[in-house]
Amino acid sequence: MQWYKVDTPTRVQRVVDAWAEAPVRNLETLGLILGVARNDVLAYAPAQPADTDPENPPDNLVLAQLMQAKNLLAAGTVSSAGDIGEGAFVFTPRPMDKTIKGIIRPRIGRPRAF
């Protein structure tokens, strides 16, 4: 699987297919969001084996990039109070939530503390 990018019409369509609400009216901004999300994921991810193709990362990192891009866009649309939504249905976006972190670094095989 490849990173999400918007440098060709085919790649733009791939983003739209995966993220219907993507801001495709401004491809420069969308490209920036996807690039920042990719960098966030790489900064948090464990080191990849030396023979890993940097343009074809593991699927979990690509999914995390897409999820982080959505978080970044949501964070840019918050109210001055830091919330999204109205009334009782409000949440505050985080830079990288623990769901995304869990996708990047799964907690498999670790013993539980009692």
Side-chain angles (χ1 to χ4, degrees), residues 42-65:
L42 288 172
Y44 190 76
Q48 299 298 304
D51 62 345
T52 302
D53 179 358
E55 290 304 312
N56 294 296
D59 293 348
N60 64 317
L61 299 187
V62 176
L63 176 60
Q65 178 204 20

Side-chain angles (χ1 to χ4, degrees), residues 78-85 90-94:
V78 298
S79 71
S80 60
D83 299 326
I84 295 176
V90 188
F91 75 97
T92 303
R94 303 286 181 229

Side-chain angles (χ1 to χ4, degrees), residues 34-45:
L34 291 168
V36 169
R38 175 185 171 172
N39 290 341
D40 288 350
V41 168
L42 288 172
Y44 190 76

Side-chain angles (χ1 to χ4, degrees), residues 4-6 11-12 15-16 19 21-37 65-66 69 73:
Y4 284 99
K5 296 181 181 182
V6 292
R11 288 183 173 181
V12 171
V15 171
V16 170
W19 180 16
E21 300 83 20
V24 292
R25 297 179 98 189
N26 187 334
L27 291 180
E28 182 178 7
T29 300
L30 180 55
L32 288 171
I33 292 169
L34 291 168
V36 169
Q65 178 204 20
L66 184 64
L73 181 63

